[in-house]
Amino acid sequence: MARPIVIRASTLALAALILAALGFQAWLLAQGHQRAIDLIATRAAARAQATADQVQSAFVQVDLLLQDLRGHLDADRIRNGGTTIDPHLRERMRERLRGSMARLGMVQWLNVFDANGDPVFSTFDPLPGVRIADRPYFRQLRECGRDELAVSEVLVSRSTGRWAIIASRRLTASDGGFAGIILAALATENLGDMLTAVDQQNWVLALHDRSGRLAAQRPRRSEGIGQQVDAVLLGAGSGLDPRGATLATALGTSGPAIWSAQPVPGLPLSTVAGYSLEHALEQWHRDLRMHLATAALLVAGGVCIHLLHRRNLRAAEELRPREEYFLTLFDASPEAVAVVEGGRVVDANRRYLQLFHVPVGHPVPPWAMAPDIQPDGLATAGKGDRLAAAARTGTSSSTPWRCRRSDGSEFNADISVTAFHHRGRDLLIAVIRDLTQLHALEEKLRQGEKLEAIGQLAGGVAHDFNNMLAAILGSAEAIAARCDEERTHRYLSTIISAAERAGQLTRQLLSFARKGKILSTPVDIHQLLRETATLLERTIDPRVVVTLRLEATTALVIGDPSQLQNAILNLCINALDAMPQGGRLT
């Protein structure tokens, strides 16, 4: 009567477990779908922002070019119009404009216009016969009176008939009046070259102006330039919240995509990044197929388990003592464990087998995992037998032990032997604890104490040497104050300069040896490298040449100056050790 009840209960439990697993799989799929959408929305926002930064950087370079060229122009002469310009001067300015344009591939042409909007200088030859007085960017610079970069909307150039965006700067006469403008035209195809991503085939990137007209797109769609961008993209998420992204079919995509838009800082432009929804969910669809297959296997497995459960119930009852035995064995210790019976290893855990590869049940002595002689000079077999005898008397003891791995390498360990009785069998359990990492940590601690002592010694020497230098410097300055002879003054200046340099060296040594509170302060890495190089040049092998390459745009970091210098010194010392015959440390 009990067995049918057990079978029914186990069947119900199995069915409940399968349903729970299927429900969990469904939940995982829903979460995975949302995570995939959120991930691509975040990537779209990041890609749009990165593209906006690239566009901003390009316009900054163009602005610097315009300001540089403006410095070579006579604004008063330009305000009077092109008829007053000497032809030779116009030719020289044309060559200068062309040379500047060649440095920036994104610039299509450069022009200078007078206060009436007529051309004065240009990269074109001859001058283009166009006027720009009615252009919004021209009126903006003429009327605002401020020195600022004006960026136009997407427009068709009157000089070339091609789509472009105009970046221009005001020319101001000596009396402060408006003298004209200098402008650079950025071709839309060149702007499109900046819209790049690593996995370009899955992205659609676009640039549009404030009114929503398309300026550039990758992949390129020349027929769309100057057209109105899909209205849904103008309100795409800001990227602050991935769920604010927009899902739409736009900009010629064949299917829905996840879109995010970002304004270009300081410019009347915005970037849009879109990622194909189909590609975004590729992994999720693979996961869906895998989960469906898993669910089918789970159901089929449940049915098979139920059918086999009836046959295996009695066998499971017979195996239960054996299972309890293995639980006792493997739960006894996280270290290498061996069970010894009658002078041979009869069972062992995974760690023991990995270390020693002693065949379980094979008639080998229990101490085969150790060399014949222990470090204390005692024979391994005799020492092990005494441990076993002590354990059988009820005394569980541990002792240092030297072990040998299966590959022949040896390591220090700690072994403890305990006797126990199981189902009429007298057994010994030996637990081996590997002390290699513990000894390594102790060695690191000793090395740290040595380094601390060296630091204290260096600090003390630096303090004493600094006091001596103070006496030398003070005495030399006192003599210099009382001596009028020029030659003596030169000698004293040499002494004072050398003492000050030595004092700087001792301050660096004191900074290296400093202990106590860890600082968190702005640190100029360039200056720190210079000080480190000065310290190295006075102490290292003269065959090693120290070279500095300080090219960081911003060299400030937040940290502890002493610890940063210690880290740099350690790197340099490692490099010096690799150059025993001399070389170059950069």
Side-chain angles (χ1 to χ4, degrees):
M1 188 66 174
R3 287 185 60 190
I5 295 176
V6 171
I7 293 174
R8 285 195 297 270
S10 61
T11 301
L12 291 175
L14 180 61
L17 182 62
I18 292 175
L19 289 175
L22 293 176
F24 181 70
Q25 281 188 313
W27 179 82
L28 284 178
L29 285 171
Q31 293 294 314
H33 187 277
Q34 186 59 49
R35 280 196 301 271
I37 296 296
D38 290 348
L39 175 62
I40 297 303
T42 302
R43 288 184 60 193
R47 174 49 46 200
Q49 184 61 59
T51 306
D53 293 341
Q54 287 178 300
V55 174
Q56 182 195 31
S57 176
F59 275 87
V60 168
Q61 295 180 51
V62 173
D63 189 28
L64 291 175
L65 175 65
L66 293 178
Q67 294 185 61
D68 177 68
L69 290 173
R70 188 173 59 177
H72 298 281
L73 297 174
D74 186 345
D76 292 328
R77 180 177 295 180
I78 291 172
R79 180 167 62 176
N80 295 330
T83 57
T84 64
I85 302 299
D86 179 75
H88 296 290
L89 175 60
R90 178 174 285 112
E91 181 61 26
R92 288 198 303 272
M93 282 305 302
R94 179 180 296 112
E95 294 303 318
R96 181 183 294 277
L97 292 175
R98 288 177 176 176
S100 299
M101 185 177 69
R103 296 201 303 269
L104 288 180
M106 69 192 76
V107 177
Q108 191 176 22
W109 70 87
L110 291 165
N111 286 340
V112 178
F113 290 87
D114 62 20
N116 296 319
D118 294 316
V120 179
F121 301 115
S122 174
T123 52
F124 294 109
D125 185 15
L127 286 176
V130 296
R131 298 193 67 191
I132 61 169
D134 61 328
R135 290 291 199 186
Y137 60 86
F138 184 89
R139 295 198 303 269
Q140 174 187 347
L141 293 178
R142 181 181 60 195
E143 297 169 5
C144 72
R146 296 188 302 273
D147 186 15
E148 62 183 16
L149 178 69
V151 178
S152 74
E153 71 281 12
V154 183
L155 51 79
V156 177
S157 168
R158 292 174 179 171
S159 300
T160 65
R162 298 168 62 185
W163 288 102
I165 294 179
I166 305 299
S168 54
R169 276 276 182 179
R170 173 191 175 100
L171 298 177
T172 303
S174 58
D175 60 0
F178 178 69
I181 70 169
I182 179 171
L183 64 81
L186 282 75
T188 56
E189 57 264 31
N190 294 336
L191 291 172
D193 292 338
M194 291 186 293
L195 309 180
T196 59
V198 175
D199 47 346
Q200 186 72 48
Q201 68 275 9
N202 295 329
W203 286 98
V204 175
L205 303 173
L207 176 70
H208 64 81
D209 62 20
R210 181 179 293 146
S211 62
R213 280 181 291 183
L214 185 64
Q217 179 180 340
R218 290 292 294 272
R220 291 182 178 177
R221 277 197 317 135
S222 57
E223 69 278 10
I225 303 301
Q227 302 299 315
Q228 195 71 20
V229 174
D230 302 77
V232 67
L233 299 185
L234 300 180
S238 65
L240 300 177
D241 181 359
R243 289 170 294 184
T246 298
L247 181 63
T249 300
L251 293 179
T253 57
S254 59
I258 301 171
W259 302 91
S260 183
Q262 293 289 344
V264 179
L267 299 175
L269 302 170
S270 293
T271 58
V272 178
Y275 193 92
S276 167
L277 180 64
E278 179 183 357
H279 291 295
L281 295 178
E282 278 183 348
Q283 182 60 47
W284 182 83
H285 284 114
R286 286 193 290 268
D287 292 343
L288 174 62
R289 291 190 291 270
M290 182 190 69
H291 279 284
L292 290 175
T294 303
L297 290 175
L298 188 62
V299 173
V303 174
C304 292
I305 290 173
H306 171 68
L307 296 175
L308 293 174
H309 182 69
R310 295 175 179 270
R311 298 177 55 186
N312 294 335
L313 185 59
R314 180 171 295 178
E317 291 175 352
E318 295 174 354
L319 289 175
R320 188 172 296 112
R322 184 67 175 173
E323 293 173 351
E324 293 174 355
Y325 161 74
F326 276 108
L327 286 175
T328 302
L329 173 64
F330 287 97
D331 291 340
S333 172
E335 310 295 344
V337 180
V339 177
V340 181
E341 181 182 25
R344 62 192 180 98
V345 178
V346 294
D347 280 305
N349 68 350
R350 185 187 302 271
R351 177 63 176 158
Y352 187 95
L353 295 176
Q354 288 175 344
L355 283 174
F356 307 119
H357 288 188
V358 175
V360 174
H362 196 271
V364 296
W367 320 118
M369 77 301 192
D372 295 338
I373 303 298
Q374 289 295 307
D376 56 6
L378 298 177
T380 297
K383 191 173 181 179
D385 291 340
R386 284 192 292 274
L387 283 174
R392 291 189 181 94
T393 63
T395 304
S396 178
S397 59
S398 61
T399 186
W401 196 259
R402 187 69 176 174
C403 292
R404 178 185 292 129
R405 299 183 181 89
S406 58
D407 59 3
S409 61
E410 296 183 0
F411 64 96
N412 292 323
D414 180 86
I415 185 171
S416 61
V417 181
T418 305
F420 71 99
H421 185 77
H422 181 77
R423 296 178 66 86
R425 301 167 63 190
D426 293 321
L427 305 173
L428 292 175
I429 179 170
V431 180
I432 299 98
R433 180 186 178 199
D434 189 348
L435 300 180
T436 302
Q437 292 184 354
L438 178 61
H439 290 171
L441 290 175
E442 291 174 350
E443 179 62 24
K444 287 184 180 179
L445 179 60
R446 285 193 291 271
Q447 291 297 327
E449 292 172 348
K450 290 180 182 179
L451 289 175
E452 183 179 4
I454 292 172
Q456 292 175 348
L457 177 61
V461 171
H463 274 297
D464 294 342
F465 189 59
N466 207 29
N467 292 337
M468 297 177 189
L469 288 175
I472 293 172
L473 186 61
S475 299
E477 290 176 345
I479 295 173
R482 293 173 172 79
C483 179
D484 298 328
E485 187 179 351
E486 181 180 356
R487 183 176 180 183
T488 305
H489 260 293
R490 288 199 303 271
Y491 291 146
L492 290 172
S493 297
T494 301
I495 294 173
I496 291 171
S497 177
E500 288 175 345
R501 290 196 301 271
Q504 183 180 7
L505 182 60
T506 58
R507 285 192 295 274
Q508 294 175 5
L509 191 57
L510 281 170
S511 175
F512 172 73
R514 179 178 60 82
K515 291 175 57 181
K517 182 179 180 181
I518 296 176
L519 299 179
S520 181
T521 184
V523 181
D524 187 338
I525 291 295
H526 284 178
Q527 181 61 29
L528 195 67
L529 288 172
R530 293 188 188 97
E531 295 174 356
T532 305
T534 302
L535 182 62
L536 287 171
E537 288 171 347
R538 291 175 169 85
T539 57
I540 64 176
D541 190 329
R543 292 177 296 176
V544 176
V545 178
V546 179
T547 302
L548 291 179
R549 291 179 59 190
L550 307 180
E551 302 173 356
T553 303
T554 302
L556 288 180
V557 299
I558 301 299
D560 187 300
S562 178
Q563 291 193 350
L564 286 170
Q565 189 175 52
N566 289 350
I568 295 171
L569 279 172
N570 286 335
L571 290 172
C572 293
I573 291 170
N574 289 343
L576 293 173
D577 290 342
M579 298 186 292
Q581 304 302 322
R584 179 178 297 274
L585 175 62
T586 302

